[in-house]
Amino acid sequence: MPTNWSDDIIIADLTDEPSLSEELNGVLDGVRKGKDGKIPHVVLNFGAVSYVNSSNLSQLLKLKKTVGEAGRIMKLCSVSEDVWSVFKTTGLDKVFRFAPDPLTALASLQMEGP
């Protein structure tokens, strides 16, 4: 379930399927319903995710597109070795922005964000 960290940032602690797909849909809904129509930055914590499938990757790309088109930033953090290997193999390690943990992701958003 996504949490409004601030008016400007949504953070979501993700888990494995079957919840992962629902959680990503929840984040996308939260992004689309941003406060005052403004899309927030997004931090996705993958700390409890041990695998991702092609449907999850598609959801992540859709979320990244929605966030990016609004000039906002999406960060993925705490990615396990198994999940990282999927991002690396598919070339998505070059598409998404990563941080080692949620606190670093939040701090980097404050430094990078407009």
Side-chain angles (χ1 to χ4, degrees):
M1 186 69 150
T3 303
N4 291 329
W5 179 261
S6 69
D7 289 342
D8 206 31
I9 300 172
I10 287 179
I11 186 166
D13 295 318
L14 305 174
T15 57
D16 277 330
E17 286 292 4
S19 299
L20 181 56
S21 292
E22 293 171 19
E23 291 165 347
L24 290 173
N25 282 333
V27 172
L28 186 57
D29 288 344
V31 163
R32 289 179 175 155
K33 296 175 186 169
K35 188 174 182 179
D36 300 326
K38 185 177 179 183
I39 291 180
H41 297 293
V42 176
V43 173
L44 300 176
N45 182 358
F46 277 78
V49 177
S50 60
Y51 66 93
V52 291
N53 60 39
S54 59
S55 177
N56 303 140
L57 296 177
S58 174
Q59 288 176 294
L60 287 168
L61 289 167
K62 183 185 289 186
L63 182 57
K64 182 188 183 315
K65 180 180 180 193
T66 301
V67 171
E69 285 176 345
R72 310 306 274 173
I73 299 169
M74 183 172 87
K75 293 264 185 169
L76 284 56
C77 62
S78 302
V79 177
S80 70
E81 290 293 322
D82 290 337
V83 173
W84 177 250
S85 68
V86 172
F87 285 119
K88 192 87 167 143
T89 301
T90 58
L92 294 175
D93 62 317
K94 308 255 188 300
V95 173
F96 295 108
R97 294 182 182 193
F98 296 90
D101 55 67
L103 291 178
T104 305
L106 290 167
S108 67
L109 282 177
Q110 291 178 339
M111 292 188 310
E112 293 176 35

